[in-house]
Amino acid sequence: MYTPEQRPSDLVKDELPEVDLAQPTAQVSAAPTEDEILEAMKDVVDPELMVNVVDLGLVYGVQVDEHANATIDMTLTSPTCPLTDKIEYDTKYVLDGLVNSVTINWVWLPPWTLEAITEDGREQLRAIGYNL
């Protein structure tokens, strides 16, 4: 059972490839813009809904410091999402080479709702059979 002291990713451990994403391939000198990070994050797909986390409205905020280190405020469709590790891995993977480090700040307030989905996200969900 999930307790507030646990992270959702503590409940299930995905089998992911052995890649050391803590060590970026090259040091980034110029900090990317928030738009560049959000565009890259469109390659991070929620494994259950098969829509990217940006269009699902799961990314609440992006901060990039002068050293090209990114902090992303993100939520999940449910605090008990068993695929948190996969989303964390994919986020670090798509931002490798764009930023020097990535910190995901999992937030739960405000809670995610269907209203957060962009129109592009709604079209993607309709294409796979959801009625929104």
Side-chain angles (χ1 to χ4, degrees):
M1 173 176 238
Y2 173 76
T3 63
E5 295 81 35
Q6 292 176 305
R7 294 177 43 191
S9 60
D10 292 337
L11 300 176
V12 175
K13 295 295 181 186
D14 294 325
E15 295 297 322
L16 299 173
E18 292 297 321
V19 177
D20 185 5
L21 294 174
Q23 298 298 321
T25 54
Q27 196 71 2
V28 176
S29 58
T33 65
E34 180 179 344
D35 287 340
E36 290 171 323
I37 289 184
L38 289 173
E39 187 62 33
M41 291 288 294
K42 288 185 177 182
D43 287 338
V44 178
V45 175
D46 181 285
E48 293 176 308
L49 295 175
M50 302 309 296
V51 174
N52 73 71
V53 296
V54 173
D55 286 326
L56 278 176
L58 299 178
V59 178
Y60 284 3
V62 174
Q63 298 84 40
V64 183
D65 69 16
E66 66 276 5
H67 304 292
N69 300 307
T71 302
I72 300 172
D73 294 332
M74 193 169 359
T75 195
L76 298 167
T77 56
S78 164
T80 59
C81 175
L83 299 165
T84 307
D85 285 343
K86 173 84 168 109
I87 294 172
E88 286 178 356
Y89 176 87
D90 289 350
T91 297
K92 290 178 180 180
Y93 183 80
V94 302
L95 296 179
D96 185 36
L98 189 60
V99 298
N100 289 319
S101 70
V102 179
T103 301
I104 298 176
N105 180 31
W106 293 110
V107 295
W108 307 109
L109 293 175
W112 180 83
T113 64
L114 293 175
E115 287 76 35
I117 304 172
T118 67
E119 189 54 42
D120 285 343
R122 291 175 185 281
E123 288 178 27
Q124 293 170 55
L125 287 167
R126 285 185 201 107
I128 59 174
Y130 286 94
N131 185 16
L132 296 176

